[in-house]
Amino acid sequence: MPFSLPVTLPDTLSAVVDHHLGQWLGAVHQAGLEPDLQQLGDSFMAELQLVLAGSDFVAEQLRRDPVMAWRLVEDQRLSRSLAPGEMAQLLSQQLDAALTEEQFAQALRRFRQQHQVRIIWRDITRQASTMDTTRDLSDMADACLEQAYRWVYAQLESEFGTPRSEEGEQQHLVVLGMGKLGAQELNLSSDIDLIFAFPSQGETQGGRRSLSNQEFFTRVGQKLIRLLDEVTVDGFVFRVDMRLRPYGDSGALVFSFNALEQYYQSQGRDWERYAMIKARVVAGDQVAGAELMERLRPFVYRRYIDFAAIEALRNLKQLIQREVQRKGLHDNVKLGAGGIREVEFIGQAFQLIHGGRDRSLQQRPILAVLDMLAANVYLPDETVDELKGAYLFLRDTEHALQAIDDRQTQMLPTDSLTQARVAMIMGFDNWAEFRRQLELQRSRVARHFAGVIADPDEEEEREQAPYTQWLTLFTGFPEPEQACEQLVEGGFKDGARAWELLQHLLRSPRVRAMQRMSRERLDVFLPRLLAMACEQDDPDLALERVIPLVEAVARRSAYLVLLTENPGALRELLVLCSASPLIAEEIARYPVVLDELLNAGRLYRPPETAELIDELRQQLLRIPEDDLEQQMEALRYFKRAHSLRVAASEIAGSLPLMKVSDYLTWIAEAILQQVLQLAWQDMVRRHGVPKRHDGTPCELDFIIVGYGKVGGIELGHGSDLDLVFIHDGDTEAETDGPRPLDGGRFYTRLGQRIIHILNTHTTAGVLYDVDMRLRPSGDAGLLVTSLEAFARYQREVAWTWEHQALVRARPLAGCVQLGERFNRLRAEVLGRQRDEEELRTAVRDMRKKMRDNLATQATHGGLDPTAFTAEAAFDLKQDAGGIVDIEFMVQYAVLAWSCRYPELLRFTDNIRISDGLRDAGLIPGEDVQHLQEAYKAYRAAAHRLALQKQPGTVPGDQFHDYRHHIIRLWQQLLPDAADA
């Protein structure tokens, strides 16, 4: 059946039409439909040739399913817009016959293909306006999402029951459409960006097996995505992108309303505000969805004119411009200069800055926003008219590009055939005419985009900024030799190694998996990192130490923004990491502490004890009492943040050795006090309050006793805690709660709970490693001991070395009255009369045993003459003349003489005990001074080595005077038996 073309087409397009028309007519003939061709009408046949000239996709769909042509002309669907709700009604009718998931998925895909043909047809023939097309596509997505969700929900509900809140109310998923779907501006081949949420925690009821709401809706989400996104022989429905959800691909698939709100208020970033402007409830529970949108509104729209957003938007604008330059996107009608994204940016910039005060700007569609900008005199009428005209032209161009193959592209074609098709669809006689009009429209957008939130000094600043010399390393593709040469010229000694580090970072799986925005942030950050690394004494070392941190935070690029926008914080980071690999690794493992670098004054001024205790208490008060997981995270952040401040102060020289240990010990004490309270409250909630021997309820009646470094107020970086738990309850009497325990089991579980909180590995690591071996009978003894049993053990069973350890013991947390009773017991045990010769022998034997097992074997524990040569190693702690010798001498003195000089029992640290020995005339003042200076020097060296992640040994030619003096003093106080 001959047909005449409705317009004069170039020969190339006439050949395309002839080919497609022949294919279709062949399919019609095979299907036995040829006699019915007249039913399609003349207008259909005329329009068909125009559409075939513009779309291979439509041609293929009509060939595969020739009956589709008759379905399309039914009820005049090609010549009119669908009524509100009609799309959903048509889909529902098509899905009615689906009994299995496979049939349902097939029906969805066939519906999508038919309506995609209808929409492209109406767009090419200009029977639909630009926004009619985008609305049709968005309505189709809404209908598919809603009905697919209802199907999935029903399937899972029949298996697992109905998800309900803790109050028993039925729960439904809320599906948020973001981006173009949210604004009802989908293009012909858009992905759909979604976020899944549900109202509250709870579990399913009435099913074969109960699931938490989180797990139920996760399964719903997974199944929903598969129904829409999976490519089958029938194609797909929509490509689904979930990366806009909190934490992107690494985050949970679904979030409760509370979790979403908390995330956006505490961690939401500027680009997430930008994205959330267009969010809309597209499927699921519309009522609950409206509540969620209201809860998220304060995150998107500030109540005041948000001038803070201006700088963030300037940065985003620069990222857009650099991306265009870097990726060569000039021919991309969406992302290139003067493209669709720049129009959207203009509107959204005004929304972010003024939307909180001017509710008329709180709209999703960009054209409506532009109208408001003109109506409220944010922009001149002529500017808005130009932007709207350009936007519609660009969107039509985008649709023309995508209609050809139903392919997601915004790139202008380079081949003549596709250029001719696009020009024809856009109503131009040839590509050159179309291109001239396109460039005119884009130049208008680019001009207006350049004027939005412009920084008058930005060009000058960009020229002067030191980091600009490094931009070419990341915006182009330099040859390795050129890159290495540039790095050496910039200040790196080993350019090849620096380039290798950067390439390893950029090729790492974490960076390769970064979202586009995150990668842009990395590209903005890296030139600044190189520029500031070159300011350090050793740029190569600084870069090597910081690169692991950059890789570690690749998926949490807010940290990169923090360092980019706060040059002072980046400088502090480089200084600290250059000074200490321990700090570098700690920050890389737990980058949340980067916040501490923002305030240099606070960073180098650790708080006093009372401030520490109050700060931690305030942090924990903001967490629900029964949320142990969050409490443990808060405790760990507190410890890491304050330990970083102490290390920074030590490196800067603003905190002397004794104060470093003081602060580290105070941090531990503050934590232990809160850990004990948390564990006690948890145990009492579960089991009630234990009883004392007189039957009255205990008011804690429990103490944590610190031994070793924490007891002696001498903690170092990475020290573990030597602890002993003591209680004063009745071990036989039961607690008064719903699940009673006898007192012994109660306090044992309390001790276990404390240890669990302290040394459990969470995402933030452990709080402290705990050593309980100094308790009565060591590992064979009870975890928690009554004061009575502890006293009996110390008086009757304990070895001399256990009394030595008691010298440094003191209560750290718990009942004040019990702590005082412990101190009296300690004074009694340590202050009793001892046979000095027996004591000397016991102390000396224990020291020999330690030296034989723990000291440097090659130098016989530091006693061999070769121990003082540069080739030998001196163990600061275990070798002769080292830290343990000093501690043993002090402990011997307390055990030998405190019966006559009880003032020696007042303190637990070696420095103040040695002061007491001097004041009592027991050791000459000169010897005490040498002892104290040596002790401080050794510990300072040990601290430095710890910060360098090195063992506590130095070359044997160091500390000669101190070592000789300590060995001589040892021989005076604790002479070997042969010398005595």
Side-chain angles (χ1 to χ4, degrees), residues 219-249:
R219 294 191 182 200
V220 168
Q222 291 167 337
K223 209 171 181 69
L224 177 60
I225 292 169
R226 192 165 63 248
L227 261 181
L228 299 174
D229 189 273
E230 191 171 64
V231 179
T232 71
V233 292
D234 296 297
F236 62 93
V237 187
F238 285 98
R239 289 175 294 268
V240 177
D241 192 334
M242 299 297 299
R243 291 176 297 172
L244 290 181
R245 70 187 189 270
Y247 309 109
D249 287 336

Side-chain angles (χ1 to χ4, degrees), residues 511-662:
V511 171
R512 290 168 69 90
M514 290 175 82
Q515 298 177 34
R516 177 176 56 82
M517 182 69 76
S518 299
R519 180 55 194 268
E520 288 171 350
R521 288 173 168 177
L522 179 66
D523 290 342
V524 170
F525 168 73
L526 286 175
R528 290 163 170 80
L529 171 64
L530 292 179
M532 207 160 284
C534 288
E535 297 176 8
Q536 306 304 309
D537 294 337
D538 188 342
D540 300 72
L541 179 65
L543 184 65
E544 186 151 6
R545 295 261 175 91
V546 171
I547 284 291
L549 164 66
V550 179
E551 184 176 349
V553 303
R555 292 187 180 181
R556 291 171 286 177
S557 61
Y559 292 120
L560 299 178
V561 176
L562 181 152
L563 294 170
T564 299
E565 296 183 350
N566 295 276
L570 178 56
R571 186 174 290 107
E572 296 297 345
L573 175 69
L574 287 161
V575 168
L576 293 174
C577 291
S578 297
S580 168
L582 180 73
I583 292 178
E585 289 187 16
E586 184 79 359
I587 296 176
R589 289 176 66 191
Y590 310 110
V592 67
V593 297
L594 283 170
D595 289 345
E596 297 298 317
L597 304 181
L598 293 174
N599 187 333
R602 171 182 161 90
L603 178 65
Y604 294 107
R605 191 197 67 79
E608 298 292 330
T609 311
E611 295 176 79
L612 280 166
I613 293 170
D614 185 63
E615 179 183 330
L616 181 54
R617 186 178 60 83
Q618 292 292 337
Q619 288 181 16
L620 292 172
L621 280 175
R622 292 194 285 269
I623 301 172
E625 286 186 4
D626 57 351
D627 194 344
L628 181 61
E629 182 179 347
Q630 284 300 311
Q631 290 163 345
M632 289 169 69
E633 293 299 309
L635 287 164
R636 282 154 176 74
Y637 176 79
F638 175 85
K639 186 224 175 170
R640 298 196 184 286
H642 285 288
S643 297
L644 175 65
R645 292 169 65 180
V646 172
S649 300
E650 184 174 10
I651 287 169
S654 60
L655 206 60
L657 167 71
M658 299 300 291
K659 279 293 186 182
V660 169
S661 291
D662 285 351

Side-chain angles (χ1 to χ4, degrees), residues 110-126:
R110 291 183 175 178
F111 180 84
R112 184 264 181 190
Q113 306 296 42
Q114 178 173 315
H115 281 274
Q116 190 79 351
V117 168
R118 180 185 66 81
I119 292 167
I120 290 174
W121 186 296
R122 285 172 48 75
D123 189 74
I124 289 177
T125 60
R126 291 297 181 261

Side-chain angles (χ1 to χ4, degrees), residues 790-796 798-799 802-804 806 822-834 894-895 898 905:
F790 182 84
R792 187 166 54 251
Y793 181 86
Q794 292 293 338
R795 290 168 181 153
E796 302 172 8
W799 295 82
E802 291 177 289
H803 288 166
Q804 286 180 247
L806 193 61
F822 170 84
N823 284 332
R824 290 196 293 271
L825 171 64
R826 170 180 174 273
E828 174 207 320
V829 171
L830 297 179
R832 74 187 185 192
Q833 187 81 33
R834 287 174 173 82
V894 171
L895 293 175
S898 60
L905 301 173

Side-chain angles (χ1 to χ4, degrees), residues 176-439:
L176 295 183
M178 311 294 286
K180 285 185 166 57
L181 174 60
Q184 296 177 299
E185 296 169 342
L186 280 186
N187 60 47
L188 285 172
S189 293
S190 285
D191 292 349
I192 53 175
D193 296 294
L194 305 177
I195 292 176
F196 296 151
F198 63 95
S200 63
Q201 297 293 348
E203 60 183 23
T204 60
Q205 297 177 16
R208 179 174 52 82
R209 178 162 69 92
S210 180
L211 298 177
S212 69
N213 287 353
Q214 179 81 37
E215 188 176 356
F216 179 86
F217 286 118
T218 297
R219 294 191 182 200
V220 168
Q222 291 167 337
K223 209 171 181 69
L224 177 60
I225 292 169
R226 192 165 63 248
L227 261 181
L228 299 174
D229 189 273
E230 191 171 64
V231 179
T232 71
V233 292
D234 296 297
F236 62 93
V237 187
F238 285 98
R239 289 175 294 268
V240 177
D241 192 334
M242 299 297 299
R243 291 176 297 172
L244 290 181
R245 70 187 189 270
Y247 309 109
D249 287 336
S250 61
L253 186 65
V254 300
F255 292 83
S256 68
F257 286 8
N258 284 342
L260 268 185
E261 184 178 22
Q262 183 178 0
Y263 170 83
Y264 285 119
Q265 293 302 339
S266 62
Q267 298 181 48
R269 292 161 294 196
D270 290 303
W271 71 264
E272 288 172 304
R273 286 185 65 200
Y274 189 83
M276 193 57 72
I277 282 177
K278 292 193 174 187
R280 175 174 65 91
V281 181
V282 295
D285 190 334
Q286 291 286 339
V287 174
E291 176 199 335
L292 174 63
M293 295 307 299
E294 197 59 35
R295 289 171 66 171
L296 297 182
R297 185 185 300 275
F299 165 67
V300 183
Y301 296 109
R302 306 294 194 245
R303 292 181 180 177
Y304 46 84
I305 295 177
D306 191 4
F307 293 107
I310 294 176
E311 191 57 36
L313 288 164
R314 281 188 183 135
N315 290 338
L316 184 57
K317 177 180 168 184
Q318 290 177 9
L319 287 176
I320 293 171
Q321 293 167 330
R322 286 177 189 154
E323 182 189 41
V324 171
Q325 295 168 2
R326 186 178 74 252
K327 295 186 177 179
L329 295 174
H330 180 71
D331 284 342
N332 189 303
V333 297
K334 175 184 177 183
L335 304 178
I340 295 167
R341 184 170 63 173
E342 291 189 359
V343 179
E344 294 172 339
F345 178 89
I346 291 169
Q348 289 172 317
F350 283 97
Q351 286 181 283
L352 285 178
I353 296 168
H354 300 282
R357 293 285 295 273
D358 187 346
R359 294 182 70 89
S360 69
L361 294 178
Q362 294 182 16
Q363 302 193 53
R364 300 182 188 94
I366 184 61
L367 293 179
V369 172
L370 290 173
D371 285 338
M372 286 300 102
L373 295 179
N376 296 337
V377 202
Y378 290 107
L379 288 175
D381 289 346
E382 55 271 23
T383 297
V384 169
D385 288 342
E386 286 190 353
L387 287 172
K388 289 173 65 178
Y391 178 78
L392 292 171
F393 187 90
L394 290 166
R395 289 303 304 270
D396 284 341
T397 301
E398 180 183 48
H399 289 160
L401 294 168
Q402 295 174 347
I404 295 170
D405 288 316
D406 187 28
R407 187 167 61 89
Q408 190 178 30
T409 182
Q410 286 94 11
M411 291 297 295
L412 294 174
T414 55
D415 65 288
S416 58
L417 174 60
T418 310
Q419 288 176 345
R421 300 176 92 168
V422 171
M424 182 273 297
I425 295 172
M426 291 296 293
F428 292 89
D429 290 335
N430 55 61
W431 178 253
E433 286 184 14
F434 161 74
R435 192 64 192 254
R436 277 194 295 273
Q437 183 62 27
L438 174 66
E439 293 308 316

